[in-house]
Amino acid sequence: MARVLSALIIGLVFGSGIALSGMANPAKVLNFFDFAGTWDPSLAFVMGGALIVTAIGYALVLKRDAPVFDRLFHLPTRRDLDFPLVAGSAVFGIGWGITGFCPGGAIPALGLGHGDAWLFVGSMVGGIAAARLARHTLATHVMAKAS
Amino acid sequence: MTEFTPWLSLFGGSLIGLAAVLLMAFHGRIAGMTGILSGLVPPFSHDWGWRAAFLAGAVGAPALIVAMSGYTIPFESPTPAPWLVVGGLIVGAGVYFGSGCTSGHGVCGMARVSPRSIVATLTFMVSTAITVFVVRHLIGGL
């Protein structure tokens, strides 16, 4: 119970940050990337603030043996650069540039009650589901061939 | 045009950072929306409880701010509906294969100086800027 309540409160902090910073506003996000037009540098301040707090906070937190509600910190360990990482990120950028919505911005935008955010998030979840299915199908296919 | 909001954006960004630190301190998890959300796309991951709670908080926060303070959170989506669908599908597939988005790679991964996250963040920032340039200045809008 405490675990779920804690996640809810942390989600509230995250959503408040996204909403106040302007990340939930597609027009503002698109303007940040429009150097040749109506440039709005605000999002550099979002990234700057988030990065400074996270870098300092992580350094302090990760000195501990374990998080409060778990036995270990779940940290990504991979350091290799592969094709899906770069291609996936490039493709993500195309979608972000078309819509101004990224996943972390779009989810809190749902709470503002605009249909546009719901349409985007519904499609995005469909995209994640389709990509996962494609990867699993491919993996099964390759394994079947190998055996 | 959107108003330049350095202080509000810095404050909001700091809250995003605070949430990332708290999620690591209490749950030992990276505050990446892609990773958290992926566990809630069927088939659900076994630890869906904290993910659903985090998501509920993230969605509820803007509604709560509006209800309690009366402050209007600016929102404008200039993209036509069909392109929102196309963009949504592209973003979903991209962040799945790229193992993360602005929150996971751009904030948490960059803060850890992860080489994968630095490359991913540079890649999607450049890709987004190129796309915005093409859409707004070469095609002249969608």
Side-chain angles (χ1 to χ4, degrees):
Chain A
M1 191 61 214
R3 195 165 176 263
V4 169
L5 194 66
S6 147
L8 178 75
I9 293 167
I10 298 168
L12 279 169
V13 175
F14 181 85
S16 303
I18 293 286
L20 294 174
S21 68
M23 287 297 293
N25 185 2
K28 196 172 181 72
V29 173
L30 290 173
N31 280 343
F32 173 69
F33 288 102
D34 192 5
F35 309 105
T38 50
W39 191 46
D40 176 352
S42 302
L43 294 204
F45 289 77
V46 184
M47 287 292 274
L51 267 177
I52 291 167
V53 172
T54 308
I56 296 171
Y58 270 11
L60 296 173
V61 166
L62 293 174
K63 277 185 192 157
R64 302 171 62 98
D65 294 326
V68 177
F69 296 121
D70 209 328
R71 281 175 299 174
L72 69 155
F73 293 107
H74 301 264
L75 297 172
T77 50
R78 285 182 64 177
R79 296 178 69 82
D80 61 307
L81 306 173
D82 60 349
F83 178 74
L85 177 82
V86 177
S89 298
V91 168
F92 161 44
I94 295 172
W96 198 15
I98 290 174
T99 61
F101 282 115
C102 63
I107 293 290
L110 294 177
L112 293 171
H114 299 282
D116 285 359
W118 288 89
L119 185 61
F120 174 85
V121 170
S123 310
M124 178 179 80
V125 169
I128 293 175
R132 176 190 274 176
L133 189 70
R135 177 179 269 181
H136 287 189
T137 310
L138 203 69
T140 324
H141 186 71
V142 169
M143 278 212 300
K145 253 189 168 175
S147 63
Chain B
M1 288 292 284
T2 48
E3 194 192 345
F4 176 48
T5 54
W7 294 111
L8 196 57
S9 287
L10 190 66
F11 176 65
S14 307
L15 284 183
I16 297 169
L18 178 64
V21 174
L22 290 175
L23 196 67
M24 187 58 73
F26 283 86
H27 300 264
R29 295 286 178 170
I30 295 283
M33 193 50 90
T34 299
I36 295 172
L37 192 62
S38 293
L40 290 170
V41 176
F44 280 28
S45 64
H46 62 93
D47 63 340
W48 60 272
W50 71 268
R51 296 169 188 270
F54 179 91
L55 218 66
V59 175
L64 220 63
I65 291 173
V66 172
M68 286 187 353
S69 69
Y71 170 73
T72 315
I73 293 166
F75 179 91
E76 190 197 340
S77 171
T79 314
W83 284 105
L84 283 177
V85 175
V86 172
L89 289 169
I90 290 177
V91 167
V95 295
Y96 181 79
F97 285 113
S99 312
C101 53
T102 327
S103 46
H105 281 313
V107 176
C108 299
M110 292 269 283
R112 294 174 60 228
V113 205
S114 149
R116 280 173 62 85
S117 289
I118 293 169
V119 168
T121 305
L122 287 175
T123 305
F124 64 66
M125 294 301 269
V126 169
S127 167
T128 307
I130 292 172
T131 305
V132 169
F133 183 80
V134 169
V135 168
R136 289 196 168 178
H137 302 287
L138 294 187
I139 304 176
L142 292 171

